[in-house]
């Protein structure tokens, strides 16, 4: 008989505040090892599927991306709830899924946030429970108490060994817990095993509204991710204990001796012995403490013992470990005094206006000055990256970086930045013209810092950014006629890349793609603002037409990346790639184009693109991640910096078409990446850690575009960012 472990990912974890928040509940934290509790749970139950079962995970949509990221290569089926309805509907959905595929299948229901160090002892107990489940019993695991505890519910068995349950009792006070332990009561672990059909029968008998709503909400199919229909929300909000366990006559309890804790408070976390994190400097007089310091923080202690010190970027908890259960009460008080601190840890200011001011100061006083000095070589060429110690980090120059940085300083000058922007733009573009311009009028991809040719390829992407830099320079009054001449010559040279079916060819393995056209579209709009005229307008309209006919999926409203020569989606996985950042970026561009043309389609398309991009938001980290598939399910949960800027730009330009909090959340997400010196981190991994690498110069283009949009959209639109 196949076993189907069902991992339940609900709960807010308020007792472990401030590390645990509704958007980042405790199962996704590395509380006792390098792995999260969720990862440890999946690894613990996965071997039980050897006889043909599957691991199922039931969770809300807000945590789906974190789950996919933390699963990695571990196989599992994800059932996504449209709304949390407590444990009974969640378990009913899993049982229904199992029964449809394996009528004799046994479901093992486990919490995702429990600590069970003896994995094999746990699996042995499960196999013993499965034997009784095969005979039609619902077997719950009762942990033999190690001490009287008021933190757990209790089970009163009718006898020793595997026995029917006499009754379940709620969490008692300390005195009553002592009586329960003396009378042979067991801790209620909340984990149990049952045949799927048995659980469904008991739900139909004792909670029929749950059974009916869930059955209607589970769609057919064998996908790795299944979205439960909105009818799921019609199920009553009820726990499995109230719905079935306390009413059914088929429930037995199996006493188990493996170590177990639901890690319900910081004292339980401390008892594991491996929960401290971060940089902690303790004095000689210190006793045992639990100390968790956020990245970039240091905690120093002297002469203290038995404390929990939990420091997050926006909140710090200090409590005696014996008073850990009182944290829940503190959270309730915080709910009234400062509700924002109940949610994901943030950095910097709390209001949108204050964050915007911080961002503006950071841009003008840190980022622009830093990259205008350490980011430039003596000959005027821009550096590719800067390491944390200020050293240049790459011995080459890419065309896109030279032109992007020139664009940044041109628009910064227009925006009033007082640094030497004009000299930076002039010297960089003059040097670029010498080292990168080919005989055919196109610009090569890469040269050495001395100007030697490293890659003579002329990519459409690079030509688009050359046009964009020329437009910004001309608009800022930097050698306007010269920049116009360069732009017109480059536009004529692009004829060599024109495709017979419309559009232009990109270099490399995917010659038909939307991304390069997006930046060409951006450059055309920039030149249209500088030189209103037929050529740039016609070119922009041609690209908008490609987006309307081919790039944007007519049914789904999302934008694809790669295409066949006839502009149908590319074969295989390449054709299924959907990037949330590009949904936002195209939404921003089409909004600008549509307003200039009075085109209603563009407004509708922009809103649909924005909605598609929102499917790529990871609530646990508060950021837009890198990749979706064409069903808008997560494909890569790594989150680079640039999608955060595009999310902010789109939220700002759409204005009253999206809730005001969207721009606030986008700016919060972006500021996670920005360092105080003017550098930044580029890649945020699914585990919440940034990749340790030099800051890439190419990100400044994205950051500056968001900065301009934040300063007042019209200037940003005119600059073509």
């Amino acid at each position: 008989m196949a076993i189907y472990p069902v991992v339940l990912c609900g709960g807010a974890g308020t007792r472990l505040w401030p590390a645990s928040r509704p958007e980042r509940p405790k199962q996704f934290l590395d509380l006792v090892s390098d792995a999260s509790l969720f990862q440890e749970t999946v690894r613990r139950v996965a071997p039980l599927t050897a006889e043909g079962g599957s691991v199922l995970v039931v969770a809300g949509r807000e945590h789906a991306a974190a789950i996919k990221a933390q699963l990695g290569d571990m196989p599992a089926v994800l059932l996504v709830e449209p709304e949390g309805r407590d444990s009974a509907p969640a378990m009913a959905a899993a049982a229904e899924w199992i029964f449809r595929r394996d009528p004799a299948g046994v479901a093992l229901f486990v919490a995702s946030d429990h600590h069970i160090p003896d994995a094999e002892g746990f699996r042995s107990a499960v196999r013993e429970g499965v034997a009784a489940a095969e005979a039609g019993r619902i077997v719950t695991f009762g942990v033999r108490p190690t001490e009287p505890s008021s933190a757990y519910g209790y089970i009163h068995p009718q006898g020793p060994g595997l026995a029917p349950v006499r009754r379940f009792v709620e969490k008692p006070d300390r005195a009553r817990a002592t009586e329960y332990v003396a009378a042979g009561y067991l801790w209620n672990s909340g984990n149990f095993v049952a045949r799927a059909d048995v659980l469904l029968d008991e739900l139909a008998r004792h909670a029929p509204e749950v059974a009916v709503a869930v059955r209607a909400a589970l769609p057919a199919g064998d996908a790795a991710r299944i979205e439960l229909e909105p009818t799921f929300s019609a199920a009553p909000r009820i726990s499995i204990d109230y719905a079935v366990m306390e009413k059914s006559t088929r429930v037995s309890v199996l006493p188990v001796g493996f170590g177990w804790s639901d890690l319900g408070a910081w004292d339980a976390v401390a008892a594991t012995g491996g929960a401290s994190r971060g940089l902690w400097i303790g004095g000689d007089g210190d006793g045992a403490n639990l100390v968790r310091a956020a990245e970039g923080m240091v905690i120093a202690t002297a002469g203290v013992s038995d404390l929990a010190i939990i420091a997050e970027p926006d909140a710090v908890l200090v409590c005696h470990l014996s008073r850990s259960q009182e944290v829940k009460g503190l959270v309730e008080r915080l709910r009234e005094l400062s509700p924002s601190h109940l949610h994901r840890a943030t950095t910097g200011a709390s209001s949108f206006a204050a964050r915007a001011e911080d961002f503006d100061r950071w841009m003008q006083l840190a980022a622009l000055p830093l990259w205008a000095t350490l980011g430039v070589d003596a000959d005027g060429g821009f550096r590719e990256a800067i390491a944390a110690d200020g050293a240049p980090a790459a011995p080459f120059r890419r065309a896109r970086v030279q032109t992007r940085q020139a664009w940044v300083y041109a628009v910064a000058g227009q925006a009033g930045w007082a640094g030497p922007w004009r000299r930076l733009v002039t010297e960089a573009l003059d040097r670029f013209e010498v080292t990168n311009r080919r005989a055919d009028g196109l610009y090569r991809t890469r040269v050495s810092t001395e100007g030697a040719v490293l890659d003579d390829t002329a990519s459409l992407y690079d030509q688009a950014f050359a046009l964009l830099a020329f437009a910004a320079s001309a608009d800022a009054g930097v050698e306007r006629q010269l920049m116009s001449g360069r732009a017109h010559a480059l536009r004529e040279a692009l004829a060599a890349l024109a495709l017979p079916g419309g559009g232009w060819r990109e270099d490399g393995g995917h010659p038909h793609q939307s991304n390069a056209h997006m930046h060409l579209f951006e450059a055309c709009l920039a030149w249209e603002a500088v030189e209103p005229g037929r050529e740039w307008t016609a070119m922009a309209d041609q690209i908008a037409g490609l987006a309307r006919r081919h790039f944007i999926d007519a049914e789904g409203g999302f934008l694809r990346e790669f295409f066949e020569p006839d502009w149908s989606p590319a074969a295989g996985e390449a054709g299924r790639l959907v990037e949330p950042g590009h949904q936002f970026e195209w939404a921003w561009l089409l909004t600008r184009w549509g307003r200039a043309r009075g085109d209603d389609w563009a407004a509708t398309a922009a809103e649909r693109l924005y909605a598609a991009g929102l499917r790529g938001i990871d609530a646990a980290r508060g950021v837009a991640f890198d990749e979706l598939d064409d069903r808008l399910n997560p494909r890569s949960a790594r989150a680079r910096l640039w999608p955060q800027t595009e999310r902010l730009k789109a939220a700002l330009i759409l204005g009253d078409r999206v809730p005001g909090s969207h721009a606030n959340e986008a700016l919060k997400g972006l500021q996670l990446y920005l360092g105080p010196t003017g550098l930044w981190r580029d890649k945020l991994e699914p585990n919440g850690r940034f990749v340790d690498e030099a800051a890439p110069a190419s990100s400044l283009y994205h950051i500056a575009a968001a900065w301009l949009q934040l300063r007042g959209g019209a200037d940003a639109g005119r600059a073509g960012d």
Side-chain angles (χ1 to χ4, degrees):
M1 183 172 289
I3 301 174
Y4 294 82
V6 180
V7 181
L8 303 167
C9 279
T14 56
R15 296 178 193 273
L16 296 186
W17 181 88
S20 179
R21 314 287 177 100
E23 300 88 347
R24 189 186 58 187
K26 66 176 180 178
Q27 59 262 33
F28 301 126
L29 302 178
D30 55 344
L31 289 177
V32 297
S33 72
D34 290 338
S36 71
L37 295 176
F38 169 74
Q39 290 170 320
E40 289 192 340
T41 300
V42 174
R43 293 169 185 171
R44 185 165 58 248
V45 301
L48 294 167
T49 65
E51 300 301 320
S54 302
V55 175
L56 279 73
V57 180
V58 186
R61 183 175 289 120
E62 66 274 16
H63 297 139
I67 287 168
K68 181 173 176 60
Q70 294 209 355
L71 281 172
D73 295 331
M74 295 185 290
V77 175
L78 176 60
L79 300 182
V80 182
E81 301 170 295
E83 176 187 358
R85 305 301 293 169
D86 216 322
S87 59
M91 293 178 177
E96 183 68 27
W97 185 94
I98 294 167
F99 179 72
R100 291 182 187 182
R101 285 149 188 80
D102 184 356
V106 173
L108 165 65
F109 294 98
V110 297
S112 61
D113 57 358
H114 290 183
H115 176 50
I116 301 175
D118 182 4
E120 187 51 49
F122 169 80
R123 290 190 288 267
S124 295
V126 169
R127 295 184 183 101
E128 185 178 350
V130 166
E134 290 177 347
R137 302 298 294 176
I138 299 174
V139 181
T140 186
F141 300 106
V143 178
R144 295 187 183 94
T146 57
E147 61 179 347
S149 174
S150 59
Y152 305 132
Y154 285 76
I155 301 173
H156 188 189
Q158 291 188 15
L162 178 66
V165 172
R166 190 183 306 275
R167 66 170 178 148
F168 292 87
V169 293
E170 298 290 343
K171 297 175 182 178
D173 58 27
R174 182 79 178 182
R176 186 62 58 86
T178 302
E179 295 176 7
Y180 288 162
V181 172
Y185 284 53
L186 305 167
W187 285 339
N188 184 0
S189 73
N191 302 317
F192 69 91
V193 62
R195 282 202 333 249
D197 64 325
V198 169
L199 183 61
L200 292 173
D201 286 347
E202 293 300 279
L203 282 163
R205 179 175 295 109
H206 301 293
E209 300 90 348
V210 172
V212 171
V214 169
R215 188 177 301 114
L218 181 65
D222 293 313
R225 169 174 167 147
I226 297 174
E227 299 270 349
L228 297 172
E229 301 291 345
T231 53
F232 181 83
S233 298
R237 190 185 298 273
I238 186 171
S239 72
I240 196 66
D241 285 350
Y242 288 130
V244 172
M245 304 298 275
E246 295 181 2
K247 300 174 181 178
S248 174
T249 60
R250 305 174 75 170
V251 180
S252 296
V253 60
L254 176 67
V256 296
F258 53 74
W260 169 86
S261 172
D262 70 353
L263 299 184
W266 285 116
D267 57 343
V269 176
T272 67
S276 290
R277 297 288 185 273
L279 182 55
W280 170 31
I281 302 173
D284 292 339
D286 284 346
N289 295 293
L290 169 61
V291 178
R292 295 176 65 94
E295 182 180 355
M297 300 180 70
V298 60
I299 293 176
T301 59
V304 297
S305 300
D306 301 319
L307 294 182
I309 305 174
I310 315 299
E312 291 290 310
D314 67 332
V316 177
L317 168 72
V318 180
C319 75
H320 198 276
L321 286 169
S322 66
R323 309 279 296 267
S324 295
Q325 293 293 333
E326 297 178 27
V327 171
K328 184 177 181 181
L330 296 176
V331 171
E332 291 304 314
R333 291 171 58 190
L334 191 63
R335 195 180 305 278
E336 298 179 2
L337 296 173
S338 182
S340 65
H341 285 87
L342 298 180
H343 296 277
R344 182 182 55 83
T346 60
T347 57
S350 57
S351 72
F352 179 68
R355 286 192 185 92
E357 290 179 4
D358 282 353
F359 183 34
D360 184 70
R361 284 193 294 270
W362 178 87
M363 191 71 183
Q364 298 207 57
L365 302 180
L368 289 170
L370 177 78
W371 289 88
T373 51
L374 297 182
V376 184
D377 286 322
D379 64 358
F382 290 109
R383 292 173 173 172
E384 281 281 325
I386 298 178
D389 62 359
F396 56 82
R397 294 174 185 167
R398 290 181 297 164
R400 64 196 61 182
V401 167
Q402 301 307 303
T403 51
R404 281 182 171 193
Q405 297 294 78
W407 174 86
V408 165
Y409 284 101
V411 298
Q414 280 191 293
W417 183 62
W421 62 271
R422 187 179 298 272
R423 174 179 59 79
L424 292 167
V425 172
T426 302
E427 291 182 358
L429 291 182
D430 285 349
R431 181 64 177 168
F432 176 70
E433 194 74 13
V434 170
T435 59
N436 288 72
R437 193 173 191 275
R438 305 192 321 182
D440 62 359
L442 299 174
Y443 292 88
R444 60 179 56 94
T445 295
R446 186 188 301 237
V447 299
S448 70
T449 52
E450 293 77 25
V453 177
L454 299 178
D455 184 347
D456 201 43
T457 303
S459 75
L460 181 63
Y461 188 93
D462 290 340
Q463 313 315 306
F465 277 108
L467 286 173
L468 186 63
F470 299 156
S473 302
D475 204 22
V478 178
E479 300 181 310
R480 186 183 182 101
Q481 293 302 318
L482 177 61
M483 296 301 168
S484 178
R486 289 175 178 174
H488 285 278
L490 178 52
R491 192 188 68 237
E492 293 175 4
L494 284 175
L497 304 181
L499 292 165
W504 291 264
R505 182 185 74 252
E506 180 57 291
D507 182 70
H510 293 288
H512 300 77
Q513 60 171 265
S514 59
N515 186 22
H517 285 85
M518 177 181 69
H519 291 297
L520 193 59
F521 189 33
E522 182 181 16
C524 290
L525 293 179
W527 271 110
E528 186 180 278
V530 176
E531 295 181 350
R534 182 174 55 83
E535 296 91 347
W536 299 115
T537 297
M539 200 168 177
D541 291 351
Q542 180 183 355
I543 297 171
L546 285 171
R548 184 171 189 169
R549 295 189 304 274
H550 304 298
F551 299 163
I552 299 173
D553 185 87
E555 181 178 350
F558 58 84
L559 177 116
R560 298 181 191 268
E561 297 292 325
F562 301 117
F563 302 86
E564 299 293 338
D566 64 354
W567 290 113
S568 62
E573 288 301 306
R576 300 191 62 205
L577 174 62
V578 176
E579 297 193 17
H582 286 156
Q583 312 305 303
F584 296 131
E585 203 162 1
W586 274 96
W588 177 74
L589 284 165
L590 284 175
T591 298
R592 290 171 49 200
W593 178 84
R595 290 174 181 174
R597 304 296 191 269
D599 190 297
D600 292 337
W601 166 82
T604 301
E607 289 185 43
R608 296 185 76 192
L609 287 166
Y610 183 80
L614 291 180
R615 293 289 295 272
I617 302 299
D618 177 7
R621 293 174 291 170
V623 296
F625 52 81
D626 287 0
E627 295 180 6
L628 298 166
D629 61 25
D630 58 0
R631 296 182 64 182
L632 302 186
N633 293 328
R635 194 166 104 161
S636 170
R638 188 184 69 174
R640 293 193 61 191
L641 183 153
W642 72 266
Q644 320 317 318
T645 65
E646 307 317 308
R647 176 189 178 193
L648 176 58
K649 287 161 54 182
L652 289 167
I653 201 168
L654 288 173
D656 59 3
R657 293 177 179 266
V658 301
S661 62
H662 279 217
N664 191 23
E665 291 301 311
L667 182 54
K668 284 164 59 179
L670 171 59
Q671 288 179 313
L672 291 175
Y673 292 74
L674 308 181
T677 64
L679 297 177
W680 45 79
R681 282 83 60 89
D682 181 53
K683 301 180 184 72
L684 179 62
E685 296 293 357
N687 63 9
R689 296 187 176 93
F690 284 98
V691 174
D692 186 12
E693 60 183 352
S698 58
S699 298
L700 189 56
Y701 151 78
H702 291 285
I703 296 169
W707 172 61
L708 290 178
Q709 189 68 49
L710 194 60
R711 285 171 64 91
D715 289 340
R718 189 160 187 265
D721 53 285

